[in-house]
Structure formats: structure tokens, C-alpha cells
Coordinates of all heavy atoms in Angstrom, one line a residue:
K166 N 1.2 -19.0 0.5 CA 1.3 -17.6 0.4 C 0.9 -17.1 -1.0 O 1.4 -17.9 -1.9 CB 2.7 -17.3 0.7 CG 3.1 -17.4 2.2 CD 3.3 -16.1 2.9 CE 3.7 -16.4 4.2 NZ 3.4 -15.3 5.0
A167 N 0.4 -16.0 -1.0 CA 0.1 -15.4 -2.4 C 1.3 -14.7 -2.9 O 2.2 -14.3 -2.1 CB -1.0 -14.3 -2.1
Y168 N 1.5 -14.7 -4.2 CA 2.5 -13.9 -4.8 C 1.9 -12.7 -5.5 O 0.8 -12.7 -5.8 CB 3.2 -14.7 -5.9 CG 4.0 -15.9 -5.4 CD1 3.3 -17.1 -5.2 CD2 5.3 -15.8 -5.1 CE1 4.0 -18.2 -4.7 CE2 5.9 -17.0 -4.6 CZ 5.4 -18.2 -4.4 OH 6.1 -19.1 -4.0
M169 N 2.7 -11.7 -5.5 CA 2.3 -10.4 -6.1 C 3.6 -9.8 -7.0 O 4.7 -10.0 -6.6 CB 1.8 -9.4 -5.2 CG 2.7 -8.8 -4.3 SD 1.8 -7.6 -3.2 CE 3.0 -6.5 -2.7
Y170 N 3.1 -9.3 -8.1 CA 4.0 -8.5 -8.9 C 4.4 -7.2 -8.2 O 3.3 -6.3 -8.1 CB 3.6 -8.5 -10.4 CG 4.6 -7.8 -11.3 CD1 5.7 -8.5 -11.7 CD2 4.4 -6.6 -11.8 CE1 6.7 -8.0 -12.6 CE2 5.3 -6.0 -12.7 CZ 6.4 -6.7 -13.1 OH 7.3 -6.2 -13.9
G171 N 5.4 -6.8 -7.8 CA 5.6 -5.6 -6.9 C 6.2 -4.4 -7.5 O 6.6 -3.6 -6.7
E172 N 6.4 -4.4 -8.8 CA 7.1 -3.2 -9.3 C 6.5 -1.9 -8.9 O 7.1 -0.9 -8.5 CB 7.1 -3.2 -10.9 CG 7.8 -2.1 -11.5 CD 7.8 -2.3 -13.1 OE1 8.1 -3.3 -13.6 OE2 7.5 -1.1 -13.7
D173 N 5.0 -1.8 -9.0 CA 4.4 -0.5 -8.6 C 4.5 -0.3 -7.1 O 4.9 0.8 -6.8 CB 3.0 -0.7 -9.1 CG 2.1 0.5 -8.7 OD1 2.5 1.7 -9.2 OD2 1.1 0.5 -7.9
L174 N 4.4 -1.2 -6.4 CA 4.6 -1.1 -4.9 C 6.0 -0.7 -4.6 O 6.2 0.3 -3.8 CB 4.3 -2.4 -4.1 CG 4.5 -2.4 -2.5 CD1 3.5 -1.4 -2.0 CD2 4.3 -3.9 -2.0
M175 N 7.0 -1.3 -5.1 CA 8.3 -0.8 -4.8 C 8.6 0.5 -5.3 O 9.2 1.4 -4.7 CB 9.4 -1.9 -5.5 CG 9.6 -3.1 -4.8 SD 10.3 -3.0 -3.2 CE 11.9 -2.4 -3.5
Y176 N 8.0 0.8 -6.4 CA 8.3 2.3 -7.0 C 7.6 3.3 -6.0 O 8.3 4.2 -5.7 CB 7.5 2.4 -8.4 CG 7.8 3.7 -9.0 CD1 8.9 4.0 -9.7 CD2 6.8 4.7 -8.9 CE1 9.1 5.3 -10.2 CE2 7.0 5.9 -9.5 CZ 8.1 6.3 -10.1 OH 8.2 7.5 -10.7
R177 N 6.3 3.1 -5.6 CA 5.8 4.0 -4.7 C 6.4 4.1 -3.4 O 6.6 5.3 -2.8 CB 4.3 3.6 -4.5 CG 3.4 3.9 -5.6 CD 1.9 3.6 -5.4 NE 1.7 2.2 -5.4 CZ 1.3 1.5 -4.4 NH1 1.1 2.0 -3.2 NH2 1.2 0.3 -4.5
L178 N 7.0 2.9 -2.8 CA 7.6 3.0 -1.6 C 9.0 3.8 -1.7 O 9.3 4.6 -0.8 CB 7.9 1.6 -1.0 CG 6.6 0.9 -0.6 CD1 7.0 -0.6 -0.3 CD2 5.9 1.5 0.6
L179 N 9.7 3.5 -2.7 CA 11.0 4.1 -2.8 C 10.9 5.6 -3.1 O 11.6 6.4 -2.6 CB 11.9 3.4 -3.9 CG 13.3 3.9 -4.0 CD1 14.0 3.9 -2.7 CD2 14.0 3.1 -5.0
K180 N 10.0 5.9 -4.1 CA 9.7 7.4 -4.4 C 9.3 8.3 -3.2 O 9.8 9.4 -3.1 CB 8.7 7.6 -5.6 CG 9.3 7.4 -6.9 CD 10.4 8.3 -7.2 CE 10.8 8.3 -8.7 NZ 11.9 9.2 -8.9
G181 N 8.6 7.6 -2.2 CA 8.2 8.5 -1.0 C 9.0 8.1 0.1 O 8.6 8.6 1.3
A182 N 10.1 7.4 0.1 CA 10.7 6.8 1.3 C 11.3 7.8 2.2 O 11.0 8.1 3.2 CB 11.6 5.6 0.9
G183 N 12.5 8.3 1.6 CA 13.4 9.3 2.4 C 14.2 8.6 3.3 O 15.2 9.0 3.8
A184 N 13.9 7.2 3.7 CA 14.8 6.5 4.5 C 14.5 4.9 4.2 O 13.4 4.5 4.0 CB 14.5 6.8 6.0
P185 N 15.6 4.2 4.4 CA 15.4 2.7 4.2 C 14.3 2.1 5.0 O 13.6 1.2 4.6 CB 16.8 2.1 4.6 CG 17.7 3.2 4.3 CD 16.9 4.5 4.7
E186 N 14.2 2.5 6.2 CA 13.2 2.0 7.2 C 11.8 2.1 6.6 O 10.9 1.2 6.9 CB 13.2 2.6 8.6 CG 12.3 2.1 9.6 CD 12.5 2.8 10.9 OE1 13.1 3.8 11.0 OE2 11.9 2.3 11.9
R187 N 11.5 3.1 5.9 CA 10.2 3.4 5.3 C 9.8 2.4 4.3 O 8.7 1.9 4.1 CB 10.0 4.8 4.9 CG 10.0 5.8 6.0 CD 9.6 7.1 5.5 NE 9.5 8.0 6.6 CZ 9.5 9.4 6.4 NH1 9.5 10.0 5.2 NH2 9.4 10.1 7.4
I188 N 10.8 1.9 3.5 CA 10.6 0.9 2.5 C 10.2 -0.3 3.2 O 9.3 -1.0 2.9 CB 11.9 0.7 1.6 CG1 12.1 2.0 0.8 CG2 11.7 -0.5 0.6 CD1 13.5 2.0 0.0
F189 N 11.0 -0.8 4.3 CA 10.9 -1.9 5.1 C 9.4 -1.9 5.6 O 8.8 -2.9 5.4 CB 11.8 -2.0 6.1 CG 11.6 -3.2 7.1 CD1 11.7 -4.4 6.7 CD2 11.0 -2.8 8.3 CE1 11.5 -5.6 7.7 CE2 10.6 -4.0 9.2 CZ 10.9 -5.2 8.9
N190 N 9.0 -0.8 6.3 CA 7.7 -0.8 6.9 C 6.6 -0.9 5.8 O 5.5 -1.6 6.1 CB 7.6 0.6 7.7 CG 8.4 0.6 9.0 OD1 8.7 -0.5 9.5 ND2 8.8 1.8 9.4
G191 N 6.7 -0.3 4.7 CA 5.8 -0.4 3.7 C 5.6 -1.8 3.2 O 4.4 -2.2 3.0
L192 N 6.7 -2.5 2.9 CA 6.6 -3.9 2.5 C 6.0 -4.8 3.6 O 5.2 -5.7 3.3 CB 8.0 -4.4 2.2 CG 8.5 -3.8 0.9 CD1 10.0 -4.2 0.7 CD2 7.7 -4.2 -0.4
R193 N 6.4 -4.5 4.8 CA 5.9 -5.4 5.8 C 4.4 -5.2 6.1 O 3.6 -6.1 6.3 CB 6.6 -5.1 7.3 CG 6.3 -5.9 8.4 CD 6.9 -5.6 9.6 NE 6.7 -4.1 9.9 CZ 7.1 -3.3 10.9 NH1 8.1 -4.0 11.5 NH2 6.9 -2.2 11.1
D194 N 4.0 -3.8 5.9 CA 2.5 -3.5 6.1 C 1.8 -4.2 4.9 O 0.5 -4.4 5.1 CB 2.4 -2.0 6.1 CG 2.9 -1.3 7.3 OD1 3.2 -2.0 8.3 OD2 2.9 0.0 7.4
S195 N 2.4 -4.4 3.9 CA 1.7 -5.1 2.7 C 1.9 -6.5 2.7 O 1.6 -7.2 1.8 CB 2.4 -4.4 1.3 OG 2.0 -3.1 1.2
K196 N 2.4 -7.0 3.8 CA 2.5 -8.5 4.0 C 3.4 -9.2 3.2 O 3.5 -10.4 3.0 CB 1.2 -9.2 3.9 CG 0.0 -8.6 4.7 CD 0.2 -8.8 6.2 CE -1.0 -8.4 6.9 NZ -0.8 -7.5 8.0
V197 N 4.4 -8.4 2.7 CA 5.6 -9.0 1.9 C 6.6 -9.6 2.8 O 6.9 -9.0 3.8 CB 6.2 -7.8 1.0 CG1 7.4 -8.5 0.3 CG2 5.2 -7.4 0.1
T198 N 7.1 -10.8 2.5 CA 8.1 -11.5 3.3 C 9.4 -11.7 2.6 O 10.4 -11.8 3.2 CB 7.6 -12.8 3.8 OG1 7.2 -13.7 2.8 CG2 6.4 -12.6 4.7
H199 N 9.3 -11.8 1.3 CA 10.4 -12.1 0.4 C 10.3 -11.2 -0.9 O 9.3 -10.9 -1.3 CB 10.5 -13.5 0.0 CG 10.7 -14.5 1.2 ND1 9.8 -14.8 2.1 CD2 11.9 -15.1 1.5 CE1 10.3 -15.7 3.0 NE2 11.7 -15.8 2.7
L200 N 11.6 -11.0 -1.4 CA 11.6 -10.4 -2.6 C 12.4 -11.3 -3.7 O 13.4 -11.9 -3.4 CB 12.5 -9.0 -2.6 CG 12.0 -8.0 -1.5 CD1 12.9 -6.8 -1.5 CD2 10.6 -7.4 -2.1
F201 N 11.8 -11.5 -4.9 CA 12.4 -12.4 -5.9 C 12.7 -11.5 -7.0 O 11.8 -10.8 -7.6 CB 11.3 -13.4 -6.3 CG 11.7 -14.4 -7.3 CD1 12.8 -15.3 -7.1 CD2 11.2 -14.3 -8.7 CE1 13.2 -16.1 -8.2 CE2 11.6 -15.2 -9.6 CZ 12.6 -16.0 -9.3
I202 N 13.9 -11.4 -7.3 CA 14.5 -10.4 -8.3 C 15.3 -11.0 -9.4 O 16.2 -11.8 -9.1 CB 15.3 -9.4 -7.5 CG1 14.6 -8.6 -6.5 CG2 16.2 -8.4 -8.4 CD1 15.3 -7.7 -5.6
K203 N 14.9 -10.6 -10.6 CA 15.7 -10.9 -11.7 C 16.7 -9.7 -11.8 O 16.4 -8.7 -12.1 CB 14.9 -11.0 -13.1 CG 15.7 -11.0 -14.3 CD 16.5 -12.3 -14.5 CE 16.9 -12.5 -15.9 NZ 18.0 -13.5 -15.9
E204 N 18.1 -10.0 -11.5 CA 18.9 -8.9 -11.2 C 19.1 -7.9 -12.4 O 19.2 -6.7 -12.2 CB 20.3 -9.6 -10.9 CG 20.2 -10.4 -9.6 CD 21.3 -11.4 -9.4 OE1 22.3 -11.4 -10.3 OE2 21.4 -12.0 -8.3
R205 N 19.3 -8.4 -13.6 CA 19.6 -7.5 -14.7 C 18.4 -6.6 -14.9 O 18.6 -5.5 -15.2 CB 19.9 -8.3 -16.0 CG 20.2 -7.6 -17.2 CD 20.4 -8.4 -18.4 NE 19.4 -9.4 -18.7 CZ 18.3 -9.1 -19.4 NH1 17.9 -7.9 -20.0 NH2 17.4 -9.9 -19.5
I206 N 17.2 -7.1 -15.0 CA 16.1 -6.3 -15.2 C 15.8 -5.3 -13.9 O 15.5 -4.1 -14.2 CB 14.7 -7.1 -15.2 CG1 14.9 -7.9 -16.6 CG2 13.5 -6.4 -15.3 CD1 13.7 -9.0 -16.8
F207 N 16.0 -5.8 -12.7 CA 15.9 -4.9 -11.6 C 16.9 -3.7 -11.7 O 16.6 -2.6 -11.4 CB 16.1 -5.7 -10.3 CG 15.8 -4.9 -9.1 CD1 14.5 -4.6 -8.7 CD2 16.8 -4.5 -8.2 CE1 14.2 -3.8 -7.6 CE2 16.6 -3.7 -7.1 CZ 15.3 -3.4 -6.7
A208 N 18.1 -4.1 -12.0 CA 19.2 -3.0 -12.1 C 18.7 -2.0 -13.1 O 19.1 -0.8 -12.9 CB 20.6 -3.7 -12.4
K209 N 18.4 -2.4 -14.2 CA 17.9 -1.5 -15.3 C 16.8 -0.6 -14.8 O 16.8 0.5 -15.0 CB 17.6 -2.3 -16.6 CG 17.7 -1.6 -17.9 CD 17.2 -2.5 -19.0 CE 18.4 -3.0 -19.7 NZ 18.1 -3.8 -21.0
W210 N 15.8 -1.2 -14.2 CA 14.6 -0.5 -13.6 C 15.0 0.5 -12.8 O 14.7 1.7 -12.7 CB 13.7 -1.6 -13.1 CG 12.5 -0.9 -12.5 CD1 11.3 -0.4 -13.1 CD2 12.2 -0.8 -11.1 NE1 10.4 0.0 -12.2 CE2 10.9 -0.2 -10.9 CE3 12.8 -1.2 -9.8 CZ2 10.2 0.0 -9.7 CZ3 12.2 -0.9 -8.8 CH2 11.0 -0.3 -8.6
V211 N 15.9 0.2 -11.8 CA 16.4 1.1 -10.8 C 17.1 2.2 -11.5 O 16.9 3.4 -11.2 CB 17.3 0.4 -9.8 CG1 18.0 1.5 -8.8 CG2 16.6 -0.5 -8.8
G212 N 18.1 1.9 -12.4 CA 18.8 2.9 -13.2 C 18.0 3.9 -13.9 O 18.3 5.1 -14.0
F213 N 16.9 3.4 -14.5 CA 16.0 4.4 -15.3 C 15.1 5.2 -14.4 O 14.6 6.3 -14.9 CB 15.1 3.6 -16.3 CG 15.9 3.1 -17.4 CD1 15.7 1.8 -18.0 CD2 16.9 3.8 -18.1 CE1 16.4 1.3 -19.0 CE2 17.7 3.3 -19.1 CZ 17.4 2.0 -19.6
N214 N 14.7 4.7 -13.2 CA 13.6 5.4 -12.5 C 14.0 6.2 -11.2 O 13.2 6.9 -10.7 CB 12.6 4.2 -12.1 CG 11.9 3.8 -13.3 OD1 11.0 4.5 -13.8 ND2 12.1 2.6 -13.7
F215 N 15.3 6.0 -10.8 CA 15.5 6.7 -9.5 C 16.8 7.5 -9.5 O 17.7 7.2 -10.3 CB 15.7 5.6 -8.5 CG 14.5 4.7 -8.2 CD1 14.3 3.5 -8.8 CD2 13.3 5.3 -7.7 CE1 13.1 2.7 -8.7 CE2 12.1 4.6 -7.6 CZ 12.2 3.2 -8.2
T216 N 16.8 8.5 -8.6 CA 17.9 9.4 -8.5 C 19.0 8.8 -7.7 O 18.9 7.7 -7.0 CB 17.5 10.7 -7.8 OG1 17.1 10.4 -6.4 CG2 16.2 11.4 -8.4
G217 N 20.2 9.4 -7.6 CA 21.3 8.9 -6.9 C 20.9 8.8 -5.4 O 21.3 7.8 -4.7
E218 N 20.2 9.8 -4.8 CA 19.8 9.7 -3.4 C 18.9 8.5 -3.2 O 19.0 7.8 -2.2 CB 19.1 11.0 -3.1 CG 18.6 11.0 -1.7 CD 18.0 12.5 -1.2 OE1 18.3 13.2 -1.9 OE2 17.2 12.4 -0.2
E219 N 17.9 8.3 -4.1 CA 16.9 7.2 -4.0 C 17.7 5.8 -4.1 O 17.4 4.9 -3.4 CB 15.8 7.3 -5.0 CG 14.9 8.4 -4.7 CD 14.0 8.8 -5.9 OE1 14.4 8.7 -7.1 OE2 12.9 9.4 -5.7
K220 N 18.6 5.8 -4.9 CA 19.5 4.5 -5.1 C 20.1 4.3 -3.8 O 20.3 3.1 -3.4 CB 20.3 4.7 -6.3 CG 19.7 4.6 -7.6 CD 20.8 4.8 -8.7 CE 19.9 5.1 -10.1 NZ 21.0 5.4 -11.1
A221 N 20.7 5.3 -3.1 CA 21.4 5.1 -1.9 C 20.5 4.6 -0.8 O 20.8 3.8 0.0 CB 22.1 6.4 -1.5
I222 N 19.3 5.1 -0.8 CA 18.2 4.7 0.2 C 17.8 3.2 -0.1 O 17.8 2.4 0.8 CB 17.0 5.6 0.1 CG1 17.3 7.0 0.6 CG2 15.8 4.9 0.8 CD1 16.2 8.0 0.3
L223 N 17.8 2.8 -1.4 CA 17.4 1.4 -1.8 C 18.6 0.5 -1.2 O 18.3 -0.6 -0.7 CB 17.2 1.3 -3.3 CG 16.9 -0.1 -3.7 CD1 15.6 -0.6 -3.2 CD2 16.7 -0.1 -5.3
S224 N 19.8 1.0 -1.5 CA 21.0 0.2 -1.1 C 21.0 0.0 0.4 O 21.2 -1.1 0.9 CB 22.2 0.9 -1.5 OG 23.4 0.2 -1.1
G225 N 20.6 1.0 1.2 CA 20.6 0.9 2.6 C 19.5 0.0 3.1 O 19.6 -0.7 4.0
F226 N 18.3 0.0 2.3 CA 17.3 -0.9 2.7 C 17.8 -2.4 2.5 O 17.6 -3.2 3.4 CB 16.0 -0.7 1.8 CG 15.1 -1.9 1.6 CD1 14.3 -2.2 2.6 CD2 15.2 -2.6 0.6 CE1 13.4 -3.2 2.7 CE2 14.2 -3.8 0.4 CZ 13.4 -4.0 1.6
F227 N 18.4 -2.8 1.4 CA 18.9 -4.0 1.1 C 19.9 -4.5 2.2 O 19.9 -5.6 2.7 CB 19.4 -4.3 -0.3 CG 18.3 -4.6 -1.3 CD1 17.9 -3.6 -2.1 CD2 17.8 -5.8 -1.3 CE1 16.8 -3.8 -3.0 CE2 16.8 -6.1 -2.2 CZ 16.2 -5.1 -3.0
K228 N 20.8 -3.6 2.6 CA 21.9 -3.8 3.5 C 21.3 -4.1 4.9 O 21.7 -4.9 5.6 CB 22.9 -2.7 3.6 CG 24.0 -2.7 4.5 CD 24.9 -1.6 4.5 CE 25.9 -1.5 5.6 NZ 25.4 -0.9 6.8
D229 N 20.4 -3.2 5.4 CA 19.9 -3.2 6.7 C 18.6 -4.0 7.0 O 18.4 -4.4 8.1 CB 19.7 -1.8 7.2 CG 20.9 -0.9 7.2 OD1 22.1 -1.5 7.3 OD2 20.9 0.3 7.1
Y230 N 17.8 -4.3 6.0 CA 16.6 -4.8 6.3 C 16.3 -6.1 5.4 O 15.2 -6.6 5.6 CB 15.4 -3.8 5.9 CG 15.5 -2.6 6.8 CD1 16.1 -1.5 6.5 CD2 14.9 -2.7 8.1 CE1 16.2 -0.4 7.4 CE2 14.9 -1.6 9.0 CZ 15.5 -0.5 8.6 OH 15.6 0.5 9.6
T231 N 17.2 -6.7 4.7 CA 17.0 -7.9 4.0 C 18.2 -8.9 4.3 O 19.4 -8.6 4.7 CB 16.8 -7.8 2.5 OG1 18.2 -7.4 2.0 CG2 15.8 -6.8 2.1
L232 N 17.9 -10.2 4.1 CA 18.9 -11.2 4.1 C 18.9 -11.9 2.8 O 17.7 -12.3 2.3 CB 18.6 -12.2 5.2 CG 18.7 -11.7 6.7 CD1 18.1 -12.7 7.6 CD2 20.1 -11.3 7.0
G233 N 19.9 -12.0 2.1 CA 20.0 -12.8 0.8 C 20.0 -14.3 1.1 O 20.7 -14.9 1.9
V234 N 19.0 -15.0 0.5 CA 18.8 -16.4 0.9 C 19.1 -17.3 -0.4 O 19.3 -18.4 -0.2 CB 17.3 -16.8 1.5 CG1 17.2 -16.0 2.7 CG2 16.3 -16.3 0.4
F235 N 19.1 -16.7 -1.5 CA 19.4 -17.5 -2.7 C 19.9 -16.6 -3.8 O 19.4 -15.4 -3.9 CB 18.1 -18.1 -3.3 CG 18.2 -18.9 -4.5 CD1 18.8 -20.3 -4.5 CD2 17.9 -18.4 -5.7 CE1 18.9 -21.0 -5.7 CE2 18.0 -19.1 -6.8 CZ 18.6 -20.4 -6.9
Q236 N 20.9 -17.0 -4.6 CA 21.3 -16.3 -5.8 C 21.8 -17.3 -6.8 O 22.8 -18.0 -6.5 CB 22.4 -15.3 -5.5 CG 22.9 -14.4 -6.6 CD 23.9 -13.4 -6.3 OE1 24.7 -13.6 -5.3 NE2 24.0 -12.4 -7.0
K237 N 21.2 -17.4 -8.0 CA 21.8 -18.3 -9.0 C 21.2 -17.8 -10.4 O 20.0 -17.4 -10.5 CB 21.3 -19.7 -8.8 CG 22.0 -20.7 -9.7 CD 21.6 -22.1 -9.2 CE 22.3 -23.1 -10.1 NZ 22.0 -24.5 -9.7
N238 N 22.0 -17.8 -11.4 CA 21.6 -17.6 -12.7 C 20.8 -16.2 -13.0 O 20.0 -16.2 -13.7 CB 20.7 -18.8 -13.3 CG 21.4 -20.0 -13.4 OD1 22.6 -20.2 -13.7 ND2 20.7 -21.1 -13.1
G239 N 21.3 -15.2 -12.3 CA 20.8 -13.9 -12.4 C 19.5 -13.7 -11.5 O 18.9 -12.6 -11.7
F240 N 19.2 -14.6 -10.8 CA 18.1 -14.4 -10.0 C 18.4 -14.3 -8.5 O 19.4 -15.1 -8.0 CB 17.0 -15.7 -10.1 CG 16.3 -15.5 -11.4 CD1 16.8 -16.3 -12.4 CD2 15.2 -14.8 -11.6 CE1 16.1 -16.4 -13.7 CE2 14.5 -14.8 -12.7 CZ 15.0 -15.5 -13.8
S241 N 17.8 -13.5 -7.6 CA 18.1 -13.4 -6.2 C 16.8 -13.5 -5.4 O 15.8 -13.0 -5.9 CB 18.9 -12.2 -5.9 OG 20.2 -12.2 -6.3
V242 N 16.8 -14.1 -4.2 CA 15.7 -14.0 -3.3 C 16.2 -13.4 -2.1 O 17.4 -13.8 -1.5 CB 15.1 -15.5 -3.1 CG1 14.0 -15.5 -2.1 CG2 14.7 -16.1 -4.4
F243 N 15.6 -12.5 -1.5 CA 15.8 -11.8 -0.2 C 14.6 -12.0 0.7 O 13.5 -11.9 0.2 CB 16.1 -10.3 -0.4 CG 17.2 -10.0 -1.3 CD1 17.2 -9.9 -2.7 CD2 18.5 -9.8 -0.8 CE1 18.1 -9.6 -3.5 CE2 19.6 -9.5 -1.6 CZ 19.5 -9.4 -2.9
S244 N 14.9 -12.3 2.0 CA 13.9 -12.2 3.0 C 14.0 -10.9 3.7 O 15.1 -10.4 4.0 CB 14.0 -13.4 3.9 OG 15.1 -13.3 4.7
L245 N 12.8 -10.4 4.1 CA 12.8 -9.3 5.0 C 13.2 -9.7 6.4 O 12.8 -10.7 6.9 CB 11.4 -8.6 5.1 CG 10.8 -8.0 3.8 CD1 9.6 -7.3 4.0 CD2 11.9 -7.1 3.2
K246 N 14.1 -8.9 7.0 CA 14.6 -9.3 8.4 C 13.5 -9.1 9.4 O 12.5 -8.3 9.2 CB 15.7 -8.4 8.8 CG 17.1 -8.7 8.1 CD 18.1 -7.7 8.7 CE 19.5 -8.0 7.9 NZ 20.5 -7.2 8.4
E247 N 13.5 -9.9 10.5 CA 12.6 -9.7 11.6 C 13.1 -8.5 12.4 O 14.2 -8.6 12.9 CB 12.6 -11.0 12.4 CG 12.0 -12.2 11.8 CD 10.5 -12.0 11.5 OE1 9.8 -11.3 12.3 OE2 10.1 -12.5 10.4
V248 N 12.4 -7.5 12.4 CA 12.8 -6.3 13.1 C 11.7 -5.9 14.0 O 10.5 -5.8 13.8 CB 13.0 -5.1 12.1 CG1 13.4 -3.8 12.9 CG2 14.0 -5.5 11.2
N249 N 12.1 -5.8 15.3 CA 11.2 -5.5 16.5 C 11.0 -4.0 16.4 O 11.9 -3.1 16.4 CB 11.8 -5.8 17.8 CG 12.0 -7.4 17.9 OD1 11.1 -8.1 17.3 ND2 13.0 -7.8 18.5
P250 N 9.7 -3.6 16.5 CA 9.4 -2.2 16.4 C 9.9 -1.4 17.6 O 10.3 -1.9 18.6 CB 7.8 -2.1 16.5 CG 7.3 -3.6 16.7 CD 8.5 -4.4 16.7

């Protein structure tokens, strides 16, 4: 599998999302299967770039559309859930 640095993709998806499902669909359409996150940097990035409403949408996305598969030393890996259309 190919790896991609996804800050720009995540930014565009979240800014235009309006709903957690749209983030999921955008990632799935881009063939993303997992998110590898450096927690401290991600939290700072989210804090600087998104409104309270956008943060709530992002939180809903992680709650409803991902599964945490690994967390250690400030890194997390999430897989996108299998969701039937």
C-alpha cells in the first residue's frame, strides 16, 4: 500500500464536511484505509485550524467511522470502519 501525507486532504474534507459521514466518504474515495497520527501535533493542528463546530464534526467522525487499532508513545493508528452504503 502507498502512504500519503494527508494534512491537506484532511483539511479540505473537514472544512467542507458539514457532517462526519462526508469526511469518511472523502477518505474512502481517496483510498485511505488507516490514519497514522502524532497526537500532540494533530491536536495543535486541529486547535489552530478549525472552529468549535468543525471540531465536533471531527470528533463525530472518529467516534462513528474509525476504530483505534494502536496507541503508544503519542502515536495513534485508526482504521476506517467498513460501512455499507
Side-chain angles (χ1 to χ4, degrees):
K166 290 248 179 205
Y168 292 89
M169 66 182 207
Y170 184 73
E172 178 182 318
D173 181 58
L174 176 62
M175 283 296 290
Y176 182 85
R177 286 184 286 113
L178 289 174
L179 186 52
K180 278 296 184 185
E186 182 179 11
R187 290 188 179 168
I188 298 170
F189 171 77
N190 289 335
L192 291 171
R193 186 182 59 191
D194 291 348
S195 296
K196 309 291 187 229
V197 172
T198 61
H199 291 78
L200 302 172
F201 178 67
I202 294 174
K203 173 69 174 162
E204 296 161 3
R205 184 179 53 82
I206 293 171
F207 186 74
K209 204 180 259 190
W210 178 74
V211 169
F213 286 141
N214 288 288
F215 301 104
T216 66
E218 182 179 338
E219 291 164 334
K220 291 174 189 175
I222 291 167
L223 181 62
S224 178
F226 161 73
F227 276 101
K228 177 180 171 273
D229 296 337
Y230 293 97
T231 68
L232 294 170
V234 295
F235 177 83
Q236 183 179 28
K237 188 172 183 180
N238 298 326
F240 290 92
S241 292
V242 177
F243 297 89
S244 66
L245 295 185
K246 289 182 179 176
E247 295 291 328
V248 176
N249 296 322

